[in-house]
Amino acid sequence: MTHFSSWGRYPKAKQQAVWLRWRQQNIDFTELTATVLPYGLGRSYGDSCLNDGGNLLITQQLNHFIAFDKTAGVLRCEAGISLDEILHLIVPTGWFLPATPGTKFVTVGGAIANDVHGKNHHRYGTFGCHVLRFELLRSNGERLLCSATENKELFAATIGGLGLTGLIVWAELQLRPIYNAFLTTKSVRFKCLTGFFELSAQAAAKYEYTVAWFDCQAQGNKLGRGIFMCADHAPAQITAYPAVPKFKRRSVPFNFPAFILNRCSIKAFNQLYYRLHKKVTEKVVHYEPFFYPLDSILNWNRIYGKRGFMQYQCVVPFAHGQEAIKKILACIAASGSAGSFLAVLKTFGDIKSPGLLSFPREGVTLALDFAHEGDATLSLLNRLDNIVLDYQGAVYPGKDARMSAHAFQKFYPQWQTFTQYIDEKFSSSFWRRVTNFNSKEII
Ligand SMILES: Cc1cc2nc3c(=O)[nH]c(=O)nc-3n(C[C@H](O)[C@H](O)[C@H](O)COP(=O)(O)OP(=O)(O)OC[C@H]3O[C@@H](n4cnc5c(N)ncnc54)[C@H](O)[C@@H]3O)c2cc1C
C-alpha cells in the first residue's frame, strides 16, 4: 500500500498505486481485484480523489500533447497533463485557458472530473463548457469517444463525475485568445458584506474576472469586509508592461505546530492584510500572481499541521444570498473557530454547467479553510451544511471530506440518475461515504 493524499491531508487513506504509462493502450482491469479510481495531482481537498483499500490509477505520466491547432485554438492532450504544462505551450502562441482554478497544478482529467471553475464563471462558465470531446476507457476495455453529440449522456456524466465513470485518456479543449501574458487589474476595499454584493453586481458586467478576499473574523458593522479584485486580459497595446516575474518557489519544509494558527494570529493577519490594501489600486500584472498566488509556496498545506485541514466551499442562490452568507459567518464566529486567512467570496453567473453532477450554479459562493480540530470542526461544518440546505444551495464535492450522505443527496438530487453511468469497477472514498445512506442520520 502506498500513501497518496489529498490536498487537505484529511482523511488518511491507504491504496495501491497503479502507474499508467504513456501510450499504454490497455489496463488489465481483471488483474485488479479491488476497485479503481483515477488520481491526477491530488489537488482535491478531501476524499473525492481517494479510494481507501482500493487502487488509484495514477495519471501523471499520461502527460503528452497530441495536437494543437494554433489557428483555431484547439488543443488535444492526454488527461494527465497539468494546466501548468498547457500554459507554457499556449500563452506564447496567444491562447489561454477559458476557465482555470486557483492552482495550475491540476490535471486536465481532474479539471474535467470536478468541472472546475475560475474567477470568470459569469463570462465563460466552467472548465467543462470548453471540453469538445474526450476518450473514456471503461473497465470492460471499451474506449468511447464522448462529446455533446457522441455518447452524450456519458459526456455529461463524466464532466463533474468525480472520476467514477471511467478513465479519461485524452481530451480536446477549446482555448480562448489573448494578446499577451498580462492582466489589467483593479482592487477595491469594501467595508462590509453589502459592499461586496454592490461591487459584484457592478463589476460582473464590466470585468471578466472578479473575486474577493474577506476578513472572516471581522464582526458587527465590519462583518464581511474585504478586498474586491477584478481584472481583464490586457489589450494588445499597453503603455508599460511589467517585468515578467522570476518565480522563486519557496516550500514549507515541515508541518507547522498546531498552535501557530489560532484565532489571534489569524485576526492579526487579517487586520494587517485589510489595512495594507489601499482603497483602490490599479496595476498591470503577469497572469501567474493574479491567478495562482498560492502556487509560489510549495506544500503550503503543511501550515495546518499534521492533522490536516478542510476547505468548505458552498454556493447559495442570489435571491437570499446575502442573508445566507451572513448566517454562515455568524455561525463560524459563534463557534469560536480560528477561521482562516484564506477566505474567498465570488459569484457564479447563469451559464449552465454541462455536467450532470457539476457544483457551480448561479449564486454566490464562499470558500474558507479550517484547520482540522476534531469533532468541533466537523460539527461546525455540519451546521453550515444545514444553513446551505435551508437556502437551497450546495457544497462542493471536490473540496469535501465530511458532508453526510443526507446532505449530499439533498444538494445533488440528480445523484440517482448519475449512478447508472458509474463504471462497475470504479469507486471512491467520497462516493461510498455519501451514498451509504442511513435514514436515521441527523445532520
Ligand atoms: C490552491 C488550490 C486552489 C483551488 N482553486 C480551485 C478553484 O478556484 N476552482 C475549483 O473548481 N477548484 C479549485 N481547486 C480544486 C482543484 O482544482 C480540483 O480539485 C481539481 O479537480 C484537482 O485536479 P487534480 O488533477 O489534482 O485531480 P485529483 O484531485 O487527483 O482528482 C480529482 C478528481 O478527478 C478524477 N480524475 C483525475 N484524473 C482523471 C482522469 N484521467 N479520468 C477520470 N477522472 C479523473 C479523480 O478520480 C477525482 O475524482 C483548488 C485546489 C487547490 C489546491
Side-chain angles (χ1 to χ4, degrees), residues 49-64:
C49 63
L50 302 177
N51 189 17
D52 195 26
N55 300 290
L56 288 182
L57 302 176
I58 314 293
T59 65
Q60 290 161 25
Q61 290 177 9
L62 297 181
N63 62 350
H64 293 77

mmCIF file of all heavy atoms in Angstrom, residues 49-64:
data_model
loop_
_atom_site.group_PDB
_atom_site.id
_atom_site.type_symbol
_atom_site.label_atom_id
_atom_site.label_comp_id
_atom_site.label_asym_id
_atom_site.label_seq_id
_atom_site.Cartn_x
_atom_site.Cartn_y
_atom_site.Cartn_z
ATOM 1 N N CYS A 49 -10.649 12.223 -4.336
ATOM 2 C CA CYS A 49 -9.559 11.624 -5.123
ATOM 3 C C CYS A 49 -8.923 10.455 -4.366
ATOM 4 O O CYS A 49 -7.825 10.022 -4.724
ATOM 5 C CB CYS A 49 -8.517 12.675 -5.495
ATOM 6 S SG CYS A 49 -7.701 13.406 -4.066
ATOM 7 N N LEU A 50 -9.591 9.956 -3.338
ATOM 8 C CA LEU A 50 -9.037 8.843 -2.550
ATOM 9 C C LEU A 50 -9.929 7.606 -2.688
ATOM 10 O O LEU A 50 -11.134 7.717 -2.889
ATOM 11 C CB LEU A 50 -8.940 9.236 -1.074
ATOM 12 C CG LEU A 50 -8.099 10.477 -0.754
ATOM 13 C CD1 LEU A 50 -8.148 10.781 0.734
ATOM 14 C CD2 LEU A 50 -6.648 10.307 -1.219
ATOM 15 N N ASN A 51 -9.303 6.449 -2.533
ATOM 16 C CA ASN A 51 -10.048 5.195 -2.663
ATOM 17 C C ASN A 51 -9.502 4.217 -1.626
ATOM 18 O O ASN A 51 -8.764 3.284 -1.965
ATOM 19 C CB ASN A 51 -9.870 4.660 -4.094
ATOM 20 C CG ASN A 51 -10.777 3.486 -4.388
ATOM 21 O OD1 ASN A 51 -11.758 3.248 -3.671
ATOM 22 N ND2 ASN A 51 -10.449 2.741 -5.430
ATOM 23 N N ASP A 52 -9.853 4.473 -0.378
ATOM 24 C CA ASP A 52 -9.277 3.707 0.732
ATOM 25 C C ASP A 52 -9.499 2.200 0.539
ATOM 26 O O ASP A 52 -10.627 1.755 0.312
ATOM 27 C CB ASP A 52 -9.941 4.173 2.041
ATOM 28 C CG ASP A 52 -9.156 3.707 3.241
ATOM 29 O OD1 ASP A 52 -7.938 3.495 3.118
ATOM 30 O OD2 ASP A 52 -9.770 3.542 4.317
ATOM 31 N N GLY A 53 -8.404 1.454 0.594
ATOM 32 C CA GLY A 53 -8.492 -0.001 0.449
ATOM 33 C C GLY A 53 -8.538 -0.465 -1.002
ATOM 34 O O GLY A 53 -8.535 -1.661 -1.276
ATOM 35 N N GLY A 54 -8.568 0.465 -1.953
ATOM 36 C CA GLY A 54 -8.647 0.088 -3.370
ATOM 37 C C GLY A 54 -7.404 0.520 -4.130
ATOM 38 O O GLY A 54 -6.316 0.661 -3.562
ATOM 39 N N ASN A 55 -7.566 0.723 -5.431
ATOM 40 C CA ASN A 55 -6.452 1.126 -6.296
ATOM 41 C C ASN A 55 -6.635 2.560 -6.774
ATOM 42 O O ASN A 55 -7.757 2.997 -7.011
ATOM 43 C CB ASN A 55 -6.420 0.251 -7.559
ATOM 44 C CG ASN A 55 -6.232 -1.214 -7.232
ATOM 45 O OD1 ASN A 55 -5.161 -1.625 -6.801
ATOM 46 N ND2 ASN A 55 -7.276 -2.004 -7.438
ATOM 47 N N LEU A 56 -5.510 3.252 -6.939
ATOM 48 C CA LEU A 56 -5.532 4.558 -7.603
ATOM 49 C C LEU A 56 -4.825 4.404 -8.942
ATOM 50 O O LEU A 56 -3.716 3.845 -8.997
ATOM 51 C CB LEU A 56 -4.782 5.604 -6.770
ATOM 52 C CG LEU A 56 -5.442 6.095 -5.494
ATOM 53 C CD1 LEU A 56 -4.577 7.164 -4.829
ATOM 54 C CD2 LEU A 56 -6.844 6.655 -5.762
ATOM 55 N N LEU A 57 -5.450 4.874 -10.006
ATOM 56 C CA LEU A 57 -4.797 4.873 -11.325
ATOM 57 C C LEU A 57 -4.081 6.212 -11.451
ATOM 58 O O LEU A 57 -4.727 7.255 -11.649
ATOM 59 C CB LEU A 57 -5.828 4.739 -12.454
ATOM 60 C CG LEU A 57 -6.728 3.497 -12.409
ATOM 61 C CD1 LEU A 57 -7.761 3.546 -13.532
ATOM 62 C CD2 LEU A 57 -5.886 2.221 -12.532
ATOM 63 N N ILE A 58 -2.778 6.217 -11.308
ATOM 64 C CA ILE A 58 -2.025 7.476 -11.283
ATOM 65 C C ILE A 58 -1.782 7.928 -12.725
ATOM 66 O O ILE A 58 -1.126 7.231 -13.507
ATOM 67 C CB ILE A 58 -0.666 7.307 -10.566
ATOM 68 C CG1 ILE A 58 -0.836 6.519 -9.250
ATOM 69 C CG2 ILE A 58 0.004 8.657 -10.341
ATOM 70 C CD1 ILE A 58 -1.610 7.207 -8.172
ATOM 71 N N THR A 59 -2.307 9.114 -13.056
ATOM 72 C CA THR A 59 -2.317 9.537 -14.469
ATOM 73 C C THR A 59 -1.173 10.494 -14.834
ATOM 74 O O THR A 59 -1.098 10.945 -15.974
ATOM 75 C CB THR A 59 -3.647 10.253 -14.808
ATOM 76 O OG1 THR A 59 -3.694 11.458 -14.042
ATOM 77 C CG2 THR A 59 -4.853 9.399 -14.494
ATOM 78 N N GLN A 60 -0.295 10.796 -13.869
ATOM 79 C CA GLN A 60 0.685 11.870 -14.111
ATOM 80 C C GLN A 60 1.597 11.623 -15.309
ATOM 81 O O GLN A 60 2.175 12.553 -15.855
ATOM 82 C CB GLN A 60 1.524 12.098 -12.844
ATOM 83 C CG GLN A 60 0.707 12.728 -11.747
ATOM 84 C CD GLN A 60 1.324 12.552 -10.364
ATOM 85 O OE1 GLN A 60 2.527 12.384 -10.225
ATOM 86 N NE2 GLN A 60 0.485 12.574 -9.345
ATOM 87 N N GLN A 61 1.747 10.356 -15.716
ATOM 88 C CA GLN A 61 2.616 10.102 -16.877
ATOM 89 C C GLN A 61 1.836 10.089 -18.198
ATOM 90 O O GLN A 61 2.422 9.913 -19.261
ATOM 91 C CB GLN A 61 3.388 8.811 -16.669
ATOM 92 C CG GLN A 61 4.436 9.000 -15.580
ATOM 93 C CD GLN A 61 5.200 7.735 -15.249
ATOM 94 O OE1 GLN A 61 5.087 6.729 -15.926
ATOM 95 N NE2 GLN A 61 5.986 7.803 -14.201
ATOM 96 N N LEU A 62 0.543 10.264 -18.104
ATOM 97 C CA LEU A 62 -0.231 10.470 -19.347
ATOM 98 C C LEU A 62 -0.144 11.969 -19.634
ATOM 99 O O LEU A 62 -1.129 12.701 -19.513
ATOM 100 C CB LEU A 62 -1.694 10.075 -19.157
ATOM 101 C CG LEU A 62 -2.016 8.616 -18.832
ATOM 102 C CD1 LEU A 62 -3.521 8.417 -18.705
ATOM 103 C CD2 LEU A 62 -1.494 7.702 -19.930
ATOM 104 N N ASN A 63 1.058 12.432 -19.962
ATOM 105 C CA ASN A 63 1.273 13.886 -19.988
ATOM 106 C C ASN A 63 1.848 14.362 -21.324
ATOM 107 O O ASN A 63 2.822 15.099 -21.352
ATOM 108 C CB ASN A 63 2.176 14.305 -18.824
ATOM 109 C CG ASN A 63 3.551 13.672 -18.916
ATOM 110 O OD1 ASN A 63 3.760 12.782 -19.742
ATOM 111 N ND2 ASN A 63 4.480 14.115 -18.109
ATOM 112 N N HIS A 64 1.209 13.932 -22.400
ATOM 113 C CA HIS A 64 1.702 14.318 -23.724
ATOM 114 C C HIS A 64 0.678 15.122 -24.508
ATOM 115 O O HIS A 64 -0.519 14.863 -24.406
ATOM 116 C CB HIS A 64 2.101 13.076 -24.517
ATOM 117 C CG HIS A 64 3.290 12.398 -23.906
ATOM 118 N ND1 HIS A 64 3.187 11.617 -22.780
ATOM 119 C CD2 HIS A 64 4.598 12.439 -24.235
ATOM 120 C CE1 HIS A 64 4.392 11.191 -22.432
ATOM 121 N NE2 HIS A 64 5.266 11.679 -23.293
#
